[in-house]
Amino acid sequence: MPALTARRATWIAGLVACLVYANALGNAWAIDDTFIVRDNPAVHSVGAALGHFFDVYWPPQEGARAGLYRPLAIISYALDWALSGGKPWWFHLTNVALHGVVTALVVLVVWVWLPPAGALAAGVMFAVHPVHVEAVANVVGRTEIMTAGGVLLAVLAARRYRRADGTRAWWFAGALGATFIALASKETGVVTIGVLVVDRWLDPERGRRDMLGLYLAVLALTIGWLFLWRAIAAVYADGTVAAGIRWLTTGERLATVVPAQLELVRLLVWPLRLSVDYSPLIIPRRTEWSVVATVAATTSTVILALAFAVARRAPAVTFGILVAAGSFLPTSSLLFPAGIVMAERTLYLAAVAPSCVVGWLLAGSGRIRHPREWRLLVAAAALVLVVFGVRTVTRTPIWRDTPTAVTRELLVYPQNYRAHVWLGDVFATSGDSVRALRELLVATALFDDPFTTRLLIPLALARGAHRLALEESARAYELAPGHPEVSRFVMESHLASGQPDSAVSAMRHAIGVSPGNTMVNDDYLQLLERVEAPRWQRLFAQARTDWLSFRFTDVGPRLDTALTAASAAGDLGGFCWEVSAAPSGRAVRAGRIEGDWMPVRAGPIARASTPSRVSGIAWRAS
């Protein structure tokens, strides 16, 4: 029997990874695939993808964008589109092949700590782990696979760099290039520098070369990438905070996300019960510290302590646990509010932890003297791998398309409010607005998410259910006052109900809550055009939009024109509010206003305390 070399082990593990996901080639587009790939012009040609290199990952939806920046993922989708003409099976084939490559990299990384059989077992465990299904079987899960591949490639390149004799600039450049792949595929690539340090600490052959230069280069690349992300996508980050932790204080957020760490451990250890989405009420919102939170915090602490305790005896286990913790931390919402509380796709690299444990256990089986105990250990490990493999094969078709994913999810988790939102979208797309409204109302009853109105309000207005639209928009506005999307729906609901004055009042209140939001101000300006407001009023609004858009040279002349137009107008209703909301108080400093006025920014419409005069004309604000 030929010896089990590293080359053979990587091929075996990689082939197993591809085989268990072979049925993913029958999947089409599911949930986020439709927005990011199928309906996104930015990925329909390589030129378009390159043209959007400095654009955010998510295409705009109803004027909203997510604070994510993943240009390399967009380019990979564009390459697939160019090669396949947009056929989904090709995209899934790419995902499966990449998963096979990453599985092979796992074997190579753990090879230094485990004997060949143990490294192979770790690779097979990683290949078949059911928590990977979302990342591999759903096209947009590719970001996780590419990031994991970049991190592991950086580890291997850094090892070759520190062990090589003489100058090895190629390995230095390779480590930086792999770090770039991780960063440009998903924001969690920032953990690469930490993984490199952990690998250097645990490597039994640390090498002769000083690693400070490489570490500084990787760190500089990471910091530079963070500045780039901040310049491009940070402005949209607040809009991507997970519904379960949105608007919570730091203490309330921790009370919610810390208990979720128990679900993290369960998903890595025994992932037979899976979910398409871990929204409320699957991960319940807690606003006070609980016994469950204490248990979760204790469990996480014990696991981390164990990782350091076994560093010499079982470095592979230590590596797996620390990499799992580090890769999950950026999306855990522990350090800052993130777009999720829990998601299976984010555990792709974290599955290295159970894989290393299985590999280490089988590697230790050689020290067991009793043949019966050895056979039991091997049989138990084989049983786990078979069970996990079967679960992966049976789980993959759930991601065939959005209706399949959503309906299967609701059969298991009817309390998942987001699944009802998705099902409402499916019904709306098929033209069944009655069922769509029903599902969306169920979603709002399960969890009060103001952004359910993105689908609910347009459907209600299309069916002439103006009262329902007004009620739901008011509910959403109470939860998210001043948010541009919600404010727009309040405005549209009032306009459709024949209440233009209320629409104007609501938008003024939204500006008072979010005076610096350009989208709210733009919507207000468009509203004034639609209701044929007086010219002076539109000029004030345009001046405010110019100010927020940094067109400062246009502001002064426009304000002067607005005041002149107001002097000639007979109806000055709302003038006090427009003046109080003028950019930087320029209208007041212009010297055109005499008398007393009192701006009230907290209410929909400001009211003057006494009659005042504008260019000699008496007026009272409405």
Side-chain angles (χ1 to χ4, degrees):
M1 184 176 180
L4 184 60
T5 62
R7 181 186 296 272
R8 291 193 177 100
T10 55
W11 273 105
I12 292 172
L15 287 174
V16 170
C18 293
L19 287 174
V20 295
Y21 283 102
N23 58 343
L25 272 61
N27 289 355
W29 312 110
I31 307 180
D32 291 348
D33 292 349
T34 58
F35 305 107
I36 298 176
V37 181
R38 189 193 69 183
D39 301 335
N40 185 7
V43 306
H44 292 176
S45 71
V46 176
L50 294 175
H52 284 79
F53 189 88
F54 296 104
D55 202 359
V56 293
Y57 179 64
W58 269 87
Q61 291 180 295
E62 299 292 341
R65 314 196 76 175
L68 307 175
Y69 180 51
R70 303 166 185 178
L72 199 57
I74 294 294
I75 292 174
S76 77
Y77 301 146
L79 288 172
D80 277 355
W81 195 280
L83 292 172
S84 68
K87 295 180 175 61
W89 70 268
W90 181 272
F91 287 78
H92 290 290
L93 178 63
T94 302
N95 275 26
V96 172
L98 288 173
H99 177 53
V101 171
V102 174
T103 299
L105 293 176
V106 169
V107 174
L108 294 176
V109 167
V110 302
W111 193 265
V112 298
W113 299 303
L114 299 174
L120 176 60
V124 173
M125 178 66 171
F126 188 86
V128 303
H129 202 293
V131 83
H132 292 330
V133 173
E134 181 181 359
V136 181
N138 192 214
V139 172
V140 295
R142 182 181 304 179
T143 58
E144 307 291 343
I145 307 174
M146 293 175 63
T147 301
V151 172
L152 296 177
L153 278 173
V155 168
L156 294 173
R159 285 180 184 175
R160 297 296 297 267
Y161 171 75
R162 66 175 176 259
R163 294 177 182 178
D165 294 323
T167 302
R168 292 294 184 268
W170 283 109
W171 295 118
F172 186 97
L176 288 180
T179 302
F180 174 80
I181 292 174
L183 290 167
S185 299
K186 190 178 179 182
E187 297 79 4
T188 50
V190 296
V191 304
T192 305
I193 180 65
V195 176
L196 294 180
V197 172
V198 169
D199 178 67
R200 171 71 167 76
W201 170 49
L202 296 172
D203 192 351
E205 301 177 16
R206 297 186 177 181
R208 309 176 183 86
R209 189 177 299 277
D210 181 18
M211 296 293 290
L212 181 60
L214 178 60
Y215 290 159
L216 290 176
V218 172
L219 183 61
L221 177 61
T222 303
I223 293 174
W225 188 264
L226 287 173
F227 273 103
L228 184 62
W229 170 85
R230 181 179 179 85
I232 295 172
V235 66
Y236 306 110
D238 289 343
T240 57
V241 175
I245 57 174
R246 194 180 292 136
W247 304 304
L248 296 183
T249 64
T250 300
E252 291 171 340
R253 185 184 81 242
L254 292 177
T256 297
V257 301
V258 170
Q261 308 313 304
L262 291 177
E263 186 70 3
L264 160 68
V265 174
R266 184 196 66 78
L267 285 170
L268 292 178
V269 175
W270 197 244
L272 299 190
R273 180 170 56 86
L274 300 169
S275 175
V276 171
D277 180 79
Y278 289 82
S279 299
L281 306 162
I282 296 178
I283 300 293
R285 172 185 279 185
R286 296 180 172 91
T287 56
E288 295 181 354
W289 192 262
S290 61
V291 175
V292 179
T294 301
V295 172
T298 303
T299 302
S300 299
T301 303
V302 169
I303 292 174
L304 289 175
L306 177 65
F308 287 100
V310 301
R312 290 189 177 182
R313 183 180 177 185
V317 174
T318 301
F319 178 83
I321 293 175
L322 294 183
V323 168
S327 64
F328 179 70
L329 190 61
T331 59
S332 65
S333 295
L334 288 169
L335 301 180
F336 47 81
I340 60 169
V341 174
M342 179 69 63
E344 291 166 16
R345 63 184 179 276
T346 62
L347 303 182
Y348 184 81
L349 184 56
V352 168
S355 302
C356 288
V357 170
V358 169
W360 178 77
L361 288 174
L362 288 181
S365 64
R367 296 190 296 270
I368 299 176
R369 296 183 179 181
H370 200 292
R372 183 179 179 183
E373 294 179 356
W374 181 84
R375 287 194 297 269
L376 286 175
L377 179 60
V378 173
L383 179 62
V384 169
L385 293 176
V386 170
V387 170
F388 279 21
V390 171
R391 182 65 177 122
T392 293
V393 172
T394 57
R395 179 71 178 175
T396 298
I398 289 179
W399 291 93
R400 183 176 305 276
D401 51 37
T402 300
T404 302
V406 172
T407 54
R408 293 288 294 273
E409 174 73 5
L410 287 175
L411 288 175
V412 182
Y413 296 104
Q415 74 274 29
N416 188 342
Y417 95 95
R418 197 184 299 276
H420 287 280
V421 174
W422 287 331
L423 186 56
D425 190 26
V426 170
F427 284 135
T429 303
S430 64
D432 193 343
S433 58
V434 174
R435 290 186 178 181
L437 277 174
R438 182 186 64 189
E439 292 299 328
L440 293 171
L441 290 173
V442 169
T444 59
L446 288 171
F447 184 76
D448 228 356
D449 185 354
F451 302 113
T452 306
T453 53
R454 291 170 177 168
L455 293 173
L456 199 158
I457 300 300
L459 281 173
L461 293 177
R463 290 192 58 84
H466 297 156
R467 181 176 179 180
L468 174 62
L470 286 171
E471 291 175 352
E472 289 300 316
S473 61
R475 176 193 63 82
Y477 193 83
E478 184 177 353
L479 294 169
H483 191 279
E485 282 187 271
V486 177
S487 301
R488 186 180 304 122
F489 288 132
V490 173
M491 176 187 73
E492 296 293 347
S493 299
H494 282 297
L495 286 177
S497 303
Q499 303 172 4
D501 291 343
S502 295
V504 172
S505 178
M507 289 306 297
R508 288 175 176 173
H509 185 264
I511 291 175
V513 175
S514 304
N517 192 299
T518 56
M519 293 173 62
V520 174
N521 282 275
D522 287 342
D523 286 342
Y524 178 63
L525 177 59
Q526 294 176 22
L527 171 63
L528 295 179
E529 298 284 351
R530 292 168 65 179
V531 301
E532 298 181 352
R535 180 170 176 265
W536 63 265
Q537 200 170 5
R538 285 177 278 151
L539 287 169
F540 268 116
Q542 183 62 63
R544 189 163 51 251
T545 300
D546 290 339
W547 180 270
L548 295 175
S549 301
F550 304 103
R551 297 190 294 266
F552 301 123
T553 56
D554 297 335
V555 175
R558 204 177 300 276
L559 285 175
D560 291 338
T561 305
L563 290 168
T564 301
S567 300
D571 180 11
L572 293 178
F575 185 83
C576 181
W577 185 90
E578 298 292 353
V579 171
S580 70
S584 192
R586 174 63 185 269
V588 178
R589 292 199 299 271
R592 300 294 185 87
I593 300 177
E594 301 176 11
D596 298 325
W597 59 279
M598 181 179 65
V600 182
R601 293 181 179 269
I605 302 177
R607 298 185 180 276
S609 56
T610 60
S612 302
R613 289 180 296 123
V614 180
S615 300
I617 300 176
W619 62 275
R620 181 182 295 273
S622 61

